[in-house]
Amino acid sequence: MVELKNVEVHYGETGIDALNDVNIRINDGEFVFIVGDSGAGKSTMLKLLTNELSPTKGRVFVNGYNLSKLKKSKLPKFRRSIGMVFQDFRLIPDMTVFENVAFVLRATDKSKKVIRQRVPYVLNLVKLADRAKSYPSQLSGGERQRVGIARAFATDPGLIIADEPTGNIDPRLSYEIVELLLDINKCGATVIMVTHEHDLVQYFGGRIINLKGGRVVFDDYIGGRGTGEEV
Ligand code: ADP
């Protein structure tokens, strides 16, 4: 569960109110698009959710943690409860696709046996089982992002945050990236996807949170025009 209660973020240096009076609750298992133009406060909101930033006012709860009371010693465990998908993929160039995914499992002390099972499972989910031995440079942008999604989901986190995941890939392939995130969502993860691509959001529909000037100006469900069943 993700909850922001009466949240304000004020950047002291510039005097900018990046978020104002934000109240949001996202239940476990939801898929939510966060949309808004540049400067609307999307990145600031994500930084609150990952605890990179503390609100000037209000409270933030993520995956059962009250972030204003999060002890430093609990920070690694908290961070592991979130899988991140980045606009620029952030894959390790000299590791194969398999190794890129295995890396996050090793970092959380998973056994070799678990790694041997889990990596093929998540690569299969993102339809890249046949590219396990490729290096990122041998993949298209869309394929790289599919590895990014596999890596984010490898440790089975409760929450996946995708920050403009389609920003660096061919627009035609953006749809399949969202479809994969929807598949991951069906596997049980809550998914929050930040995007400024209005077309994509209208195609899929679902719960949309629209930020404007640091305020939530829309938080509701819309019907998609694309997929019929999935919305
Ligand atoms: P978005 O991700 O929607 O583009 P941001 O959260 O990055 O929006 O920014 C919201 C507002 O806060 C903008 O006006 C931006 O200029 C300002 N801002 C963002 N980060 C900082 C910072 N570190 N210091 C000062 N102002 C910032």
Side-chain angles (χ1 to χ4, degrees), residues 22-64:
V22 171
N23 287 284
I24 289 173
R25 185 190 162 103
I26 298 171
N27 290 318
D28 288 345
E30 282 197 75
F31 186 108
V32 179
F33 285 112
I34 296 181
V35 299
D37 296 331
S38 179
K42 306 182 298 295
S43 307
T44 301
M45 185 178 281
L46 290 194
K47 283 186 188 145
L48 290 177
L49 300 185
T50 55
N51 202 40
E52 280 168 73
L53 188 73
S54 299
T56 315
K57 276 193 192 156
R59 284 181 292 164
V60 181
F61 301 86
V62 178
N63 295 342

Side-chain angles (χ1 to χ4, degrees), residues 40-221:
K42 306 182 298 295
S43 307
T44 301
M45 185 178 281
L46 290 194
K47 283 186 188 145
L48 290 177
L49 300 185
T50 55
N51 202 40
E52 280 168 73
L53 188 73
S54 299
T56 315
K57 276 193 192 156
R59 284 181 292 164
V60 181
F61 301 86
V62 178
N63 295 342
Y65 295 87
N66 177 349
L67 298 193
S68 50
K69 293 193 175 153
L70 188 65
K71 293 204 178 81
K72 253 194 167 162
S73 58
K74 294 261 170 68
L75 195 58
K77 196 166 177 221
F78 164 68
R79 286 265 160 82
R80 286 201 292 273
S81 73
I82 302 175
M84 290 295 300
V85 179
F86 304 99
Q87 179 172 1
D88 56 359
F89 321 127
R90 301 201 193 171
L91 304 179
I92 302 168
D94 58 356
M95 283 187 184
T96 64
V97 165
F98 186 99
E99 286 300 324
N100 263 283
V101 177
F103 184 74
V104 293
L105 291 165
R106 283 200 197 101
T108 55
D109 292 329
K110 294 288 183 296
S111 69
K112 279 186 180 160
K113 189 177 164 211
V114 168
I115 291 171
R116 273 199 302 273
Q117 288 169 349
R118 184 76 181 166
V119 177
Y121 170 75
V122 289
L123 288 180
N124 201 35
L125 261 182
V126 300
K127 304 176 182 76
L128 275 181
D130 56 339
R131 303 305 300 273
K133 289 183 179 156
S134 300
Y135 286 88
S137 61
Q138 299 169 317
L139 304 177
S140 69
E143 287 167 339
R144 282 181 215 178
Q145 194 55 295
R146 277 147 65 186
V147 181
I149 292 171
R151 178 189 53 190
F153 190 56
T155 56
D156 202 10
L159 174 64
I160 302 271
I161 296 179
D163 187 4
E164 298 275 4
T166 61
N168 270 340
I169 59 177
D170 187 327
R172 280 181 309 118
L173 299 177
S174 298
Y175 294 85
E176 72 180 43
I177 292 298
V178 180
E179 267 155 18
L180 285 179
L181 288 169
L182 284 162
D183 289 345
I184 298 282
N185 174 244
K186 281 191 198 122
C187 291
T190 308
V191 176
I192 298 176
M193 173 170 158
V194 171
T195 181
H196 64 269
E197 293 183 53
H198 294 280
D199 272 4
L200 209 56
V201 168
Q202 274 161 15
Y203 179 87
F204 286 98
R207 182 172 173 195
I208 319 293
I209 296 174
N210 188 4
L211 287 174
K212 205 171 199 173
R215 290 180 187 273
V216 175
V217 293
F218 181 88
D219 179 0
D220 212 338
Y221 295 84

